Amino acid sequence: MIPELVSASQARALALSHQSLYSRATAKRPIESTESIIRHLGYIQVDTISVVERAHHHALWSRNRRYQPAHLDNLQKQGRIFEYWSHAASYLPMQDYRMYLPEMQRIRERENLWHKADPRIKQHVLERIRNEGPLRSRDFVDSTSSERSMWQWKPAKSALETLFREGELMIVGREGFQKVFDLRERVLPDWVDTRFPCPEDQADFLIDRYLQANGFGSAVQMSYLRAAIRPHLDNRLKEREEAGQLIRIQVGDKLYHAKPDILENDDRFKRNYHVRLLSPFDNLVIQRNRILSLFDFDYQIECYVPEGKRKYGYFCLPVLWNNRLVARMDCKAERRSRIFLVRNLVIEAGFQASERFLEALKCELHAFMRFNGCDRLQTDLKPHLAMSSSASVILAAMLSG
């Protein structure tokens, strides 16, 4: 099969159009738009870091300006989404539940989680939840006397998390961001298909979900952190190509799989002059090698790096503009004082910040500030970090007016 040649700029536009980052407003109720986005993307990663609004809220707000954090709680209570492990902890469409049954089986059979759960404590936890209803980790007293490191869990928490990954428990909500667990049979809606998928079905699921959310991709990208499924996925890609269900496209020296109609809609190639401040865990940027290849954006989060070794900042947000990732901005929301701090700004080499970009960045930064519950912008620049020479001028423009 001769691949379709696609330019780098076209490829970026295609990737962004499939990511719904510039979705037009719809007549749907805001919560329905939120559910639609989760279904389209296939997952929204959950993260605990709250230096700015948490990643799951941030990623949804970036695609739906009518988004409210209560949407996730309500959708979960209504059985329309569920929490489980995708490549990381995630909110997932309930319709996809059966595709995670193989992972649950793998955990039950191999018990290869980094934390070990005592079978007796697991049974005790199940009995208490069965008799008392939904419970949190804090509802279990820690009877051990030994001190643990910050990464070690008390026995009951290890049991809860293991039972959750095994599929015996589901998360019914969160209280103060702490998970609330209940028995699967009391949570899973009756309409959910629980037939165990064969490897070919699971491979098709990964292919279709990835192409729906990203437009095009390689086998490595589609099987991201799922090495066991890779042989079946390779076979299905070949079979579906031969059946005319998939084509190849070539971007530079790299080949990707795509649906046959990917190049038919000219609207997908339009430029967009709105700025988006993205979460470090946004679906667009989570596969760092893909972003480096498509956007020439070498991005790593530095919150796990010692402060003295950080180059850009603790929690830098990628800045999207005109179908390019053109900058990174380190921010922090001081919610008690309602002050939104900009701690660093680095413009990518070769990018010239036009007046149009500055105005769009200012508009987005103020909107993001309000989304974080703040009403004042300030700078708190860190002198040891790298900063673009034009950053001070840009930040002055951001803070004016």
Side-chain angles (χ1 to χ4, degrees):
M1 175 182 291
I2 300 175
E4 297 275 358
L5 297 180
V6 176
S7 70
S9 62
Q10 287 178 319
R12 289 191 294 270
L14 286 170
L16 290 171
S17 70
H18 283 80
Q19 275 288 301
S20 301
L21 277 160
Y22 297 120
S23 299
R24 293 186 177 91
T26 68
K28 293 180 179 178
R29 294 168 57 223
I31 192 171
E32 292 172 349
S33 294
T34 295
E35 182 184 15
S36 177
I37 290 167
I38 297 172
R39 286 190 175 193
H40 176 77
L41 296 177
Y43 76 91
I44 290 291
Q45 182 170 334
V46 183
D47 196 73
T48 60
I49 297 174
S50 59
V51 63
V52 293
E53 189 59 87
R54 288 188 171 99
H56 40 292
H57 299 311
H58 186 170
L60 288 165
W61 177 81
S62 293
R63 293 162 172 82
N64 174 20
R65 290 306 158 94
R66 300 187 298 165
Y67 171 75
Q68 297 292 328
H71 289 177
L72 288 174
D73 292 334
N74 291 334
L75 289 171
Q76 193 168 35
K77 289 174 183 176
Q78 294 167 18
R80 293 154 71 179
I81 61 173
F82 72 105
E83 286 188 57
Y84 196 66
W85 200 264
S86 180
H87 70 280
S90 301
Y91 287 103
L92 304 158
M94 187 63 82
Q95 68 193 63
D96 294 346
Y97 181 84
R98 68 184 290 257
M99 292 302 172
Y100 294 89
L101 293 175
E103 172 69 5
M104 297 173 191
Q105 182 185 63
R106 184 183 68 83
I107 298 298
R108 286 194 300 272
E109 293 178 350
R110 300 181 186 177
E111 295 187 4
N112 62 345
L113 297 176
W114 64 267
H115 53 86
K116 298 297 182 182
D118 186 320
R120 293 171 300 176
I121 297 177
K122 286 171 61 178
Q123 188 61 37
H124 170 69
V125 164
L126 279 175
E127 286 299 322
R128 279 201 58 188
I129 292 176
R130 184 173 290 112
N131 295 329
E132 300 175 35
L135 295 174
R136 306 157 299 175
S137 173
R138 70 173 62 176
D139 295 317
F140 294 86
V141 176
D142 185 2
S143 60
T144 60
S145 57
S146 59
E147 292 187 1
R148 292 186 299 273
S149 73
M150 65 178 291
W151 300 111
Q152 289 178 304
W153 290 346
K154 68 181 183 182
K157 181 172 175 60
S158 293
L160 284 166
E161 293 291 342
T162 300
L163 290 164
F164 164 65
R165 292 290 299 275
E166 291 176 346
E168 295 294 329
L169 298 179
M170 294 183 72
I171 297 171
V172 294
R174 289 175 179 260
E175 296 178 4
F177 203 63
Q178 188 171 55
K179 301 168 187 173
V180 182
F181 298 92
D182 200 357
L183 302 178
R184 176 177 62 179
E185 57 263 32
R186 295 203 294 234
V187 179
L188 195 66
D190 294 339
W191 58 264
V192 175
D193 186 351
T194 56
R195 291 174 300 162
F196 196 88
C198 65
E200 290 73 22
D201 286 343
Q202 197 175 23
D204 278 337
F205 168 75
L206 292 176
I207 293 167
D208 291 332
R209 269 282 182 251
Y210 194 88
L211 296 183
Q212 175 178 283
N214 297 280
F216 56 90
S218 66
V220 171
Q221 292 165 352
M222 295 174 192
S223 58
Y224 181 56
L225 299 183
R226 290 184 174 94
I229 197 67
R230 178 65 187 277
H232 300 285
L233 191 140
D234 286 336
N235 288 337
R236 287 300 293 152
L237 286 170
K238 182 179 178 181
E239 291 170 357
R240 292 178 65 171
E241 255 187 37
E242 292 173 349
Q245 298 172 4
L246 297 175
I247 63 170
R248 295 280 188 106
I249 66 170
Q250 182 172 347
V251 183
D253 61 351
K254 297 188 181 299
L255 289 173
Y256 299 97
H257 302 273
K259 293 292 181 69
D261 64 349
I262 189 170
L263 302 176
E264 293 180 3
N265 186 350
D266 290 340
D267 285 345
R268 291 174 176 171
F269 299 110
K270 288 183 178 179
R271 295 178 179 272
N272 195 295
Y273 293 96
H274 294 288
V275 163
R276 291 289 182 265
L277 297 175
L278 302 178
S279 166
F281 302 106
D282 191 274
N283 298 54
L284 177 69
V285 301
I286 200 63
Q287 290 196 28
R288 311 303 197 207
N289 289 335
R290 176 180 170 93
I291 293 305
L292 179 60
S293 175
L294 289 178
F295 290 83
D296 193 25
F297 191 73
D298 190 4
Y299 178 66
Q300 295 294 329
I301 189 171
E302 295 182 332
C303 57
Y304 307 112
V305 176
E307 184 175 2
K309 295 183 178 181
R310 291 174 194 149
K311 183 178 180 182
Y312 300 113
Y314 179 83
F315 205 67
C316 274
L317 312 180
V319 180
L320 178 66
W321 154 260
N322 193 17
N323 293 355
R324 298 298 302 262
L325 291 167
V326 299
R328 57 196 85 200
M329 179 181 288
D330 190 36
C331 303
K332 182 180 181 181
E334 297 281 6
R335 295 175 181 87
R336 288 186 179 180
S337 61
R338 301 183 63 84
I339 294 173
F340 192 83
L341 299 174
V342 179
R343 303 193 291 190
N344 197 22
L345 175 64
V346 179
I347 304 297
E348 291 297 286
F351 176 69
Q352 298 297 319
S354 65
E355 288 296 326
R356 190 174 187 180
F357 167 74
L358 293 178
E359 188 59 33
L361 178 60
K362 182 176 180 178
C363 180
E364 178 73 356
L365 184 56
H366 279 79
F368 191 59
M369 171 191 71
R370 293 189 294 272
F371 178 62
N372 279 270
C374 299
D375 50 29
R376 283 187 294 161
L377 281 173
Q378 289 185 13
T379 57
D380 180 28
L381 304 181
K382 305 299 181 184
H384 68 281
L385 298 175
M387 180 176 286
S388 306
S389 59
S390 58
S392 60
V393 175
I394 293 173
L395 291 175
M398 297 303 98
L399 297 171
S400 64

